[in-house]
Amino acid sequence: MNPFTSRSLAFAAAVLIGFLSLASPSVAQQQPTEANVWIPPRLVIPVRTDLPVQMQSVRIRSEVSGRLAFTELELTFFNPNARVLEGELQFPLLDGQSVASFAMDVNGAMREAVPVDKARGQMVFEEVIRGRIDPALLEVTQGNSFKLRVYPIPASGTKRVVLRINETLSERKGRIAYRMPVEYAETVGTFSLDLSVAGVAVAPRVASQTFGPLPFNRSNNGSRALFTAKDFVGRGVLDVEIAANRNPQVSTQVFDGRMYFHADIPLASVEAPRTIPNLVGLMWDSSGSGAARDHGREFALLDAYFKKMGNGEVRLTRFRDIAEPTERFAIVNGSWRKLRDALVATAYDGATNLGAALPDAEVREVLLFSDGLGNYGDLPFPAIRVPLYAVSAAVKSDPVMLRHLAHRSGGRFIDLNAEVAADGVRKLTFAVTRVDSVEAEGAQQLVMTSPYANDGRISIAGMLTENATTLRASVVHPNGRTSIVEIPLKNGSSSGSLAAALWARMRIAELEGTYDFNRAEVRRLGRAFSLVTRETSLIVLDRIEDYVRYEIVPPTEMRADYQRMLASTAQQRTAERKSHLDNVVRMFTEKTAWWNRDFPKHREVKKEAAISVGADAGNTSERALQERRETRADVRDLAMANGPAATAQSAPQTPAMMAAKSTMAPPAYAPPAPGAALPAETKIASPAANAGTTSASIQLQKWQPDSPYTARLRNAAATDMYRIYLDEKPSYLNSTAFYLDAADLFFDKGLNNLGSRILSNLAEMDLENRHILRILGYRLVQAGQAKAAIPVFKKVLALSPEEPQSYRDLGLAYAANKQTQLAINTLYEVVIRPWHGRFPEIELITLADLNSIVATAKEKLDTSRIDPRLLKNLSLDLRVVLTWDADNTDIDLWVTDPDGEKAFYGHRLTYQGGRMSLDFTGGYGPEEFSLKRAKPGKYKVEAQYFGDRSQSITGATTLQVKLATKFGTPEQQEQIVTMRLKGKQEVVFVGEFEVKEKP
């Protein structure tokens, strides 16, 4: 029997409401009267001009067996627009709910998802999308929050997805409570419900419903209710009460040759009032996400707690990106008005750094109010030597982590969203029976969901090593008395299909309490049991070739073809890896040859002709632009087809490429070919002759956003800026631009701590969005806070290890933080790993960074693992590097020298030796301009937003440009500018170098 729960169907409603929120946000924002029913999702498709995606049909099949429940939810979406869309939906599940599996319609048949390592799943999903092939990906973000990505939702077509969710049901007034939201949208084309309850002699009772009759009829093994409707308009919640079985319930399952068991055991709990200490620590999560907590419930809980305390002292520590100084408040006869006023006045802003939440060392008990979703810093929540009571009043939370913190200290976890207020108060103010340990001679790997009884029952799971044994639970009561509860376990009794998955879920929950030390085991369990975890996702691919290419084991029906094809591709992949380093050495040798050449600097140039070279890049006809688009698309698609080993250097000249090049005005002067003799009148500046004869400075175009809030902040006194920022913030909660612009203004006025706090909000905006995290990391480095940027870039690397920029960004952050050995080790990963063909020449750009660090390091570095053929510092007078945050996006770097000659992707080598790297047309960059010896004059730096091929609708693209003089020498100077591009073909002036002759 496969079971599920009513509350998990909150997810079903959430999916639909999320999509329909495009059309009518008020539907998505409706709140339940009881917090454990509705779970609002966060839709990540900011559709502005398109029609909303519609829900064509909803089909729900639910089975309840004892306290276990299973629901299969089939959703059919209809895209009324004339273009393909990618769907991305973020949704939380409640504590105890879990995704069992999902499937997607592929060519008219449902295909089951298979497990894949989380970071690899992201990479595969995005690469497959570029090939216009159908994938779907389900992954966990943080806590019990999930993200479902589906591609494509066809233009004027449908997409069908099936999700299956498991849950353990709770008890209410002696009966099992099954609650199902039915408000999916204003109208659902077709709605059907099939609800079965197994093993009950008395039919379930419908406590409340808001649509037509739902009678239960007797079935072979219990009761069953059926309901169908066209143009369904549902409101409220279906509430079903089921008679509870008071006996122990044990189920077993053979999975992968092992016998697993799950035991649901009654436990008579005794509770007694406990003494509240008179010195208590209050850890108050004041991050931006803290504003979403239900503070009314939190204050009600504290009110009961302090009345119980009577007289005492509270030491309050607010924490967000950092912890604030501790404040002291007296509690007199249960009154805590001053403390309450201070909490009410809290400004919720910044990221959540759980490692900063260090309570006062003298307190005897700690109350932690937080959602538990740490997203900033790399330190775990500190070990607490006194009882900790963790309280969650947030819809999005990490109950696993909060429960672990509480239980390991001897405290309790209180979920104010899932419990009535009185239960939360009793947990906080009463001592209760606790399971101290469990053991069984014929079993191993025993795990519990909690040492405290839930609804008078505890859950224990494990693996049986003998056919029969006895499970013993040692119980400690509030008065200190101990007792033993014994349950017989027998191989094969009450067999079902959930025991193995329940054990795996419980084991993962146990491991995730100290996640950073158990990531590998979490990953192994996710793979073995096909579970969505913080380390594994579920993916659906269209073609067998895609499963083979990415070495993802497909569904059972495709396994034979997969094994056959995998064997033939393994040898090819090995050969590609072996040839990669040699190819990098070849490219580096070619770049070194460029660096060793002497280029002319003082030849007379006709101004008109020189201008024509640059004009072609920015002022060409629409027809020529279209030809360039086709050319670049041809080259990019060729790289996609050739896979990781493809490089732009080896791409053949396509007809579109030759046609596009023919539209370009020829250079006014061509750089001399390698080895060619130069005209006698040309003066050559050798490195020795030119070295030290010039000096260079950098002038940047300061980014000046024109939003109304920036004018208010710019014109405000420093003492008033933060109040104005907080006043504007509610209007821009989901705007990266708002936080970037505001932080810049605070940094400009020397308010660095507040600037850092504002900037850290980016970590709160979209759980595990690597694009936003990259921007955050770049800005932290730019603000001189490389130490804070390092854990941000570590997270980006964990999310996208298949992208070389992840290693490069982290390596450069290490270098900025003076951790030079770690810097070169990390950067070298970019050099030696084979990458997809859409990352051309990133190895050469990274080698320039690496060799510069080695050459200028003050300490001796270990370079023994670096191929000696690649250790050569190519110092430069001028260097420009462009990066950006959006994938599937093409931005071009332009540098125009004093003669008016423009270096860009179509003119990569200038007369005086300026070198432009290969064109990045698929996202992120970097693109690099290098000039070994610069003639005096001004060098203009610009960036052009050429276009994008993204299937989702994105906002402005953020770019970063790094300008350096005397690169690779001890005299290196560097400046960074960050700005945004909004429209295709937009060109922005970034800054300029001015090179002068030394007197």
Side-chain angles (χ1 to χ4, degrees), residues 18 21-23 42-52 83 85-89 734 766 769 950-956:
S21 66
L22 299 174
R42 181 169 185 268
L43 192 65
V44 199
I45 304 181
V47 176
R48 298 185 180 95
T49 59
D50 293 71
L51 295 171
R83 69 188 190 98
L85 289 179
E86 173 191 339
E88 179 176 310
L89 187 74
N734 295 318
D766 187 359
N769 184 318
S950 176
Q951 296 302 313
S952 58
I953 304 166
T954 59

Side-chain angles (χ1 to χ4, degrees), residues 665-901:
Y669 37 75
L678 294 171
E681 69 272 21
T682 302
K683 297 179 180 180
I684 303 174
S686 67
N690 205 41
T693 63
T694 62
S695 63
S697 61
I698 301 171
Q699 292 84 38
L700 296 180
Q701 176 69 37
K702 178 64 179 176
W703 174 247
Q704 295 288 351
D706 55 3
S707 303
Y709 57 79
T710 58
R712 284 189 72 192
L713 289 169
R714 193 179 293 115
N715 296 328
T719 53
D720 297 331
M721 284 181 68
Y722 194 62
R723 291 177 62 187
I724 293 173
Y725 157 79
L726 291 175
D727 179 54
E728 293 282 357
K729 180 181 175 181
S731 301
Y732 302 97
L733 289 176
N734 295 318
S735 168
T736 57
F738 173 74
Y739 298 112
L740 293 170
D741 296 342
D744 273 353
L745 293 170
F746 278 78
F747 285 131
D748 287 346
K749 294 197 178 182
L751 303 173
N752 294 337
N753 289 339
L754 287 175
S756 298
R757 176 191 297 181
I758 293 167
L759 192 59
S760 73
N761 281 285
L762 296 179
E764 295 256 308
M765 286 187 60
D766 187 359
L767 298 178
E768 300 196 348
N769 184 318
R770 69 187 188 281
H771 308 303
I772 294 178
L773 290 175
R774 275 198 175 101
I775 301 172
L776 172 59
Y778 293 155
R779 281 298 182 94
L780 288 170
V781 173
Q782 184 179 345
Q785 300 184 27
K787 183 177 180 180
I790 288 171
V792 175
F793 284 130
K794 282 182 177 179
K795 189 169 185 178
V796 173
L797 176 58
L799 291 170
S800 52
E802 303 293 337
E803 293 176 343
Q805 292 88 347
S806 303
Y807 289 93
R808 182 173 181 269
D809 292 340
L810 177 58
L812 294 178
Y814 279 135
N817 199 44
K818 309 302 181 185
Q819 296 173 264
T820 48
Q821 187 65 54
L822 276 174
I824 66 170
N825 291 347
T826 307
L827 292 171
Y828 194 54
E829 293 298 317
V830 180
V831 178
I832 61 175
R833 291 171 178 253
W835 304 109
H836 197 280
R838 69 190 185 97
F839 305 118
E841 255 188 28
I842 193 167
E843 298 91 348
L844 294 186
I845 298 171
T846 305
L847 275 171
D849 299 315
L850 185 155
N851 279 304
S852 173
I853 294 169
V854 172
T856 58
K858 294 182 180 180
E859 73 273 28
K860 183 174 177 57
L861 300 176
D862 180 7
T863 60
S864 58
R865 70 185 293 257
I866 300 174
D867 191 309
R869 296 173 293 176
L870 301 175
L871 279 172
K872 181 175 178 61
N873 183 38
L874 308 182
S875 59
L876 305 168
D877 272 0
L878 306 179
R879 186 187 192 227
V880 184
V881 178
L882 165 70
T883 58
W884 57 95
D885 68 299
D887 198 5
N888 288 322
T889 300
D890 184 1
I891 297 180
D892 296 325
L893 173 64
W894 299 350
V895 180
T896 305
D897 68 16
D899 295 326
E901 185 178 10

Side-chain angles (χ1 to χ4, degrees), residues 70-113:
F70 166 85
T71 288
E72 180 177 271
L73 173 65
E74 182 179 299
L75 307 173
T76 302
F77 302 104
F78 173 69
N79 175 14
N81 301 287
R83 69 188 190 98
V84 171
L85 289 179
E86 173 191 339
E88 179 176 310
L89 187 74
Q90 294 187 359
F91 60 92
L93 295 182
L94 296 177
D95 187 19
Q97 297 174 340
S98 62
V99 176
S101 63
F102 91 98
M104 187 179 77
D105 181 2
V106 178
N107 300 324
M110 298 306 296
R111 178 166 298 166
E112 293 295 325

Side-chain angles (χ1 to χ4, degrees), residues 279-283 313-315 359 363-368:
L279 182 56
V280 173
L282 177 57
M283 305 300 300
E313 180 181 325
V314 175
R315 296 187 180 175
V363 300
R364 297 170 58 192
E365 184 168 292
V366 174
L367 306 182
L368 170 65

